[in-house]
Amino acid sequence: MGDKLKEKAFWIALGDIAGRGLSFITSIYLARTLGSEFYGLITVAISILGYATWSTDLGLNNIGTRETAKEPSKRIFRVLEVFRLKLFLGIIVLVGATLVVSMIEMGDIEKQVILGYLYSIIPYMVLLEWYYSGKQQFGKIALSKVLNGLFYFLLVVIMVENMEDVTLVPVLYTVGVTVAALTLGTFAIQDKPFALPSRGVQIYPDLIKSSSILGLGQFFAQIVHLLPAILIGAILSLKDAGLYGAAFRIVVVAMMIDRVFVNLLLPNLASIWSIDPNTAKQKIGVVFRFAAAGGAFIALITAVGAEQIIGLLYGPEYSASVPLLQLLSVMIAVTFINSLFSFGLIATNKDREYFLATCFGGTISAIVIFSFAAFGDILLAAASVSIAEIIITSFTYFWFRKVAPLNYMRPVLVSYSAALSLFFIFNWMPLPILVNTLLAGILFLGIIWWSGIIDREHYDWAKRKLTE
């Protein structure tokens, strides 16, 4: 807990960049080796796994992180209690999901791949990343992510050589997650996270009640990330799901900075808020400016350089992913500020408000995604994802502004209008794509500085926080 913020940010960034980076490289290899149709099958299977892992979690990861970040005397729930409930839910979900998938009529290969990914629930339910995140021991998390990504990458490159090897991929994925779980489990032998015993069966109904509020909220929040791929695969084709998955994977990588932001925000904001809410509100105002401008900047770079990015990474077979990536880049910008609002509600113990925001926003988003996907147009399906993220963010903003009533509109309006204008300008400029991307980025940063969205005082504050 005494580590410098800069060191924490470094370890979070290392874990995400190395772990997700290796996973991204692996996905590129799989996309090129398996082709868009089987890559689409993997994309759909991973989305199904996402809903399954949500069912094993039900908000317990966030509850565990938040409680571990507190002083032991202020904790409502103990580490062992959270861990045992995750085990119990994991076993139920694994058995239930296996039975359901086994009864659904589909091809043998499709069924084998989906079931293979579902088996990774076993290492996921014992993964102690939430505990070490709460303790802010991000170096250990980084090591587990690096080993996970490294084992998965090496095994895939060695063992997956053509389309016929598609059924091996989920097995290798499970091995990678198992390595991560064993790594943190080894640290836990020394750290003794389960030193305090469980207080009995009577505590678990309260724990599941508290976590399920967050869990249901996360279910609706994950609609934007998981539902589209499943719908595209079911309504359109697995090939279209592969094209979408290739573009969406780039979006996920582009949002790695957002992951650093979230992992730092939740434990620190929870800690500061419990001591001095007024100081926390002041910090939120400054952080929001960086979130709005930073998200818009990354979205702009991604959108302007989309053709170069897709061609370089995936090759000509995935050229249809270029407009999908441009549409999805809107999601990058919006996700940055949504992270502040949604995780800010969690960190300030506004679980009910988080649930209401994601419930209403997620329900409307699901209707939008279903409606757009029903037209059978992959461009409309991709557009619905960005629209859905905007809808959910509007609801989290509505409730979070009651917690921290600050001026959020000006940073958003300036950052987003500047990014959108520059995209349309440089998307039609007859210059090389790399030159257009560079010029667009420089001009955007100039506008942000000139408009005062981020000024010298904000810059010095951020620099001081990273070095103090």
Side-chain angles (χ1 to χ4, degrees):
M1 295 290 285
D3 293 343
K4 294 180 180 179
L5 186 61
K6 180 171 67 174
E7 293 173 347
K8 295 173 185 175
F10 168 78
W11 287 116
I12 296 173
L14 177 63
D16 261 10
I17 291 173
R20 290 175 179 268
L22 285 167
S23 177
F24 180 54
I25 295 171
T26 307
S27 72
I28 294 172
Y29 176 84
L30 290 172
R32 287 178 171 270
T33 304
L34 301 177
S36 56
E37 183 174 354
F38 276 151
Y39 184 66
L41 171 59
I42 289 175
T43 302
V44 171
I46 289 177
S47 295
I48 293 172
L49 172 63
Y51 278 118
T53 52
W54 164 81
S55 302
T56 67
D57 175 30
L58 284 182
L60 287 171
N61 283 344
N62 280 326
I63 288 285
T65 296
R66 189 174 69 190
E67 293 301 312
T68 308
K70 300 176 183 177
E71 293 295 326
S73 60
K74 295 183 178 180
R75 292 176 186 168
I76 302 174
F77 302 107
R78 294 177 178 178
V79 174
L80 182 59
E81 293 162 352
V82 174
F83 183 78
R84 282 183 174 176
L85 187 54
K86 281 180 66 66
L87 278 178
F88 176 72
L89 291 175
I91 293 170
I92 292 177
V93 171
L94 179 60
V95 173
T98 301
L99 290 174
V100 170
V101 173
S102 299
M103 291 186 293
I104 296 176
E105 291 187 9
M106 66 177 77
D108 291 339
I109 292 177
E110 287 83 351
K111 184 173 292 188
Q112 190 173 346
V113 169
I114 293 172
L115 285 173
Y117 273 105
L118 286 175
Y119 294 145
S120 65
I121 289 175
I122 297 172
Y124 267 126
M125 65 186 182
V126 297
L127 188 64
L128 288 173
E129 185 175 322
W130 54 271
Y131 169 77
Y132 286 103
S133 179
K135 300 295 287 184
Q136 299 193 46
Q137 296 179 8
F138 298 114
K140 295 175 180 178
I141 297 175
L143 177 60
S144 70
K145 288 182 176 180
V146 170
L147 292 177
N148 181 351
L150 185 60
F151 271 79
Y152 181 43
F153 169 71
L154 291 176
L155 288 172
V156 164
V157 171
I158 293 170
M159 301 183 70
V160 179
E161 298 179 349
N162 52 56
M163 297 171 60
E164 296 177 356
D165 296 325
V166 65
T167 54
L168 279 175
V169 178
V171 178
L172 306 180
Y173 178 88
T174 303
V175 171
V177 180
T178 302
V179 170
L182 289 174
T183 300
L184 293 180
T186 302
F187 285 122
I189 294 174
Q190 180 179 356
D191 297 333
K192 295 180 174 57
F194 309 130
L196 293 176
S198 172
R199 289 164 291 181
V201 179
Q202 72 280 0
I203 199 69
Y204 293 101
D206 290 336
L207 176 54
I208 194 72
K209 181 180 178 180
S210 298
S211 68
S212 62
I213 296 176
L214 290 178
L216 287 173
Q218 288 172 341
F219 171 81
F220 290 107
Q222 284 185 324
I223 283 174
V224 176
H225 293 263
L226 302 178
L227 182 60
I230 297 174
L231 290 179
I232 292 171
I235 298 175
L236 280 73
S237 68
L238 287 177
K239 181 177 180 180
D240 286 324
L243 295 173
Y244 172 83
F248 191 77
R249 175 67 70 169
I250 294 172
V251 171
V252 171
V253 171
M255 293 192 300
M256 282 196 297
I257 297 176
D258 175 65
R259 295 291 302 171
V260 177
F261 172 68
V262 166
N263 278 286
L264 279 175
L265 175 69
L266 184 55
N268 278 279
L269 186 55
S271 179
I272 296 171
W273 190 268
S274 64
I275 299 172
D276 187 356
N278 290 327
T279 300
K281 290 178 183 179
Q282 293 174 2
K283 292 186 176 183
I284 288 169
V286 179
V287 170
F288 180 78
R289 291 173 175 263
F290 282 97
F297 174 75
I298 296 174
L300 173 63
I301 297 300
T302 303
V304 175
E307 185 177 347
Q308 188 87 20
I309 294 169
I310 293 292
L312 182 65
L313 296 178
Y314 294 104
E317 182 182 354
Y318 290 85
S319 59
S321 296
V322 173
L324 302 181
L325 179 57
Q326 291 176 329
L327 287 169
L328 289 170
S329 65
V330 175
M331 180 184 174
I332 299 174
V334 180
T335 297
F336 269 72
I337 60 173
N338 185 38
S339 293
L340 175 61
F341 296 148
S342 58
F343 285 94
L345 288 172
I346 295 172
T348 55
N349 296 312
K350 301 295 181 180
D351 296 354
R352 179 178 176 275
E353 287 79 0
Y354 172 78
F355 167 74
L356 290 173
T358 51
C359 179
F360 287 123
T363 301
I364 297 173
S365 296
I367 295 172
V368 170
I369 293 171
F370 267 109
S371 301
F372 279 48
F375 283 102
D377 189 323
I378 191 172
L379 288 175
L380 286 176
S384 71
V385 175
S386 290
I387 294 171
E389 186 72 13
I390 294 172
I391 292 171
I392 291 177
T393 302
S394 299
F395 280 94
T396 54
Y397 161 72
F398 174 79
W399 266 281
F400 188 70
R401 69 175 181 173
K402 296 181 179 182
V403 176
L406 303 170
N407 180 16
Y408 298 106
M409 284 295 100
R410 186 171 179 272
V412 169
L413 291 175
V414 173
S415 299
Y416 288 13
S417 61
L420 190 61
S421 300
L422 289 170
F423 166 72
F424 283 115
I425 291 172
F426 285 97
N427 195 45
W428 295 104
M429 289 283 282
L431 297 172
I433 295 175
L434 288 176
V435 175
N436 279 338
T437 305
L438 180 63
L439 290 175
I442 292 173
L443 285 174
F444 177 83
L445 293 176
I447 292 171
I448 293 301
W449 190 268
W450 172 78
S451 62
I453 298 301
I454 295 177
D455 56 23
R456 172 62 66 177
E457 182 180 351
H458 301 134
Y459 173 79
D460 290 341
W461 178 86
K463 183 179 179 180
R464 186 169 61 253
K465 283 298 176 183
L466 290 172
T467 56
E468 69 182 4

